[in-house]
Amino acid sequence: MADFTYERGDPRRPVGHALLYFTTDSPEEVQATYIVVPPITIDFAKYVPPLLASSLGSAGLLAQTSFLPVPPAPEPLALGELRRMAARRGDDVLVAGSASAWDAASLMARVAELGDSYARSYREAAEAESEPEPEPETTGSTTASALLYSLLSESERLEELSRQVGRLRYALDGKDRPLAESTQAEMRAVAAYLPEKYRANELIESAGRPDRAGARLAELFVERGYKLQKEDFEAIAQLDAEIAELQAMGREA
């Protein structure tokens, strides 16, 4: 957005309504207008015939914009009052340089240009926020398994996760990518029903590593899960230390 800066608001997330002002010779007074980007896109050109718009000069330019400038030409306003209103209404505040460099007609044209730039950035930000996040791919079998895992006990879920570790390591050793991916999907379905204390996501990540350290980490996480069920906290502390050491070695490699 060239030629104006944000005094108030976030340039990455315009709110859609802003006070746009030009400075004057007085530090306490500015020339200001209010920009509103309608939630429903309006094609103002439909309401002003092209021949008439061209004969209106700057006023015709404003009639073809994608926002509402109120008033069309900036009016004198105390800077302190502008800031108080913006804070009360939650408006963006845009500073567009000095008004002394422009006559009244040129100021109207500048409002049209800058307002269009603001409206464009608002709509781009709104579109980016409305884009749906991609949903994780699930197969019919994984969905059915998830329903089954929800009915298992905590110990049965841990046993199932342990079985899947062996299956995943077999797929990795055989470079069977489809089998590895489907197995990891099954493991995530199981992990969704296990408390965080089992560190199941770390287990899955480790089991998916093709190196020996990954295989060893997966074994340690599974063993740790069984120790948790027995509340063998001394053994858990030892396992956590070994896990941390292996993870640190992996980060340094």
Side-chain angles (χ1 to χ4, degrees):
M1 289 175 289
D3 299 323
F4 68 78
T5 58
Y6 276 74
E7 180 182 295
R8 185 178 192 277
D10 184 349
R12 297 166 299 179
R13 300 185 66 184
V15 296
H17 43 91
L19 282 155
L20 170 70
Y21 77 81
F22 298 82
T23 59
T24 67
D25 294 334
S26 170
E28 298 178 357
E29 186 176 86
V30 295
Q31 295 278 335
T33 186
Y34 192 64
I35 293 172
V36 180
V37 184
I40 300 174
T41 304
I42 303 172
D43 182 5
F44 292 106
K46 291 194 303 184
Y47 306 101
V48 181
L51 289 176
L52 177 58
S54 62
S55 68
L56 292 174
S58 298
L61 180 61
L62 285 172
Q64 299 176 64
T65 59
S66 58
F67 69 98
L68 296 170
V70 186
E75 295 287 347
L77 183 65
L79 181 57
E81 178 61 18
L82 180 148
R83 289 169 174 163
R84 282 191 293 272
M85 287 192 299
R88 185 167 61 248
R89 298 163 58 93
D91 297 320
D92 289 333
V93 175
L94 314 175
V95 187
S98 174
S100 60
W102 311 90
D103 57 27
S106 298
L107 274 176
M108 291 178 69
R110 288 293 291 153
V111 168
E113 293 170 4
L114 300 175
D116 264 335
S117 177
Y118 177 77
R120 195 162 51 248
S121 65
Y122 167 75
R123 292 198 171 97
E124 288 172 356
E127 288 174 4
E129 290 183 359
S130 65
E131 289 179 0
E133 295 184 2
E135 296 184 2
E137 295 183 6
T138 57
T139 63
S141 61
T142 302
T143 303
S145 297
L147 295 174
L148 172 63
Y149 299 144
S150 68
L151 303 175
L152 298 179
S153 67
E154 203 166 280
S155 60
E156 289 172 330
R157 291 167 189 160
L158 185 59
E159 290 173 6
E160 178 61 27
L161 200 56
S162 176
R163 282 195 293 269
Q164 295 290 351
V165 167
R167 185 182 179 205
L168 177 56
R169 299 307 303 182
Y170 172 81
L172 291 174
D173 290 342
K175 301 188 185 307
D176 189 337
R177 184 175 177 180
L179 178 59
E181 290 179 350
S182 64
T183 303
Q184 286 176 310
E186 289 285 343
M187 293 174 76
R188 286 191 289 270
V190 179
Y193 295 100
L194 280 172
E196 290 186 8
K197 64 181 181 180
Y198 285 98
R199 300 172 66 178
N201 289 327
E202 291 181 75
L203 189 161
I204 296 169
E205 181 182 354
S206 300
R209 288 173 48 178
D211 56 8
R212 291 184 178 179
R216 177 56 181 160
L217 276 169
E219 291 175 4
L220 291 172
F221 276 118
V222 170
E223 185 179 352
R224 182 181 182 279
Y226 288 122
K227 296 298 183 184
L228 268 174
Q229 292 190 334
K230 295 179 180 179
E231 297 185 349
D232 188 347
F233 299 113
E234 184 177 345
I236 291 170
Q238 294 174 354
L239 289 167
D240 282 343
E242 187 174 351
I243 288 170
E245 184 179 352
L246 279 173
Q247 289 178 328
M249 290 173 59
R251 286 191 292 269
E252 294 171 359

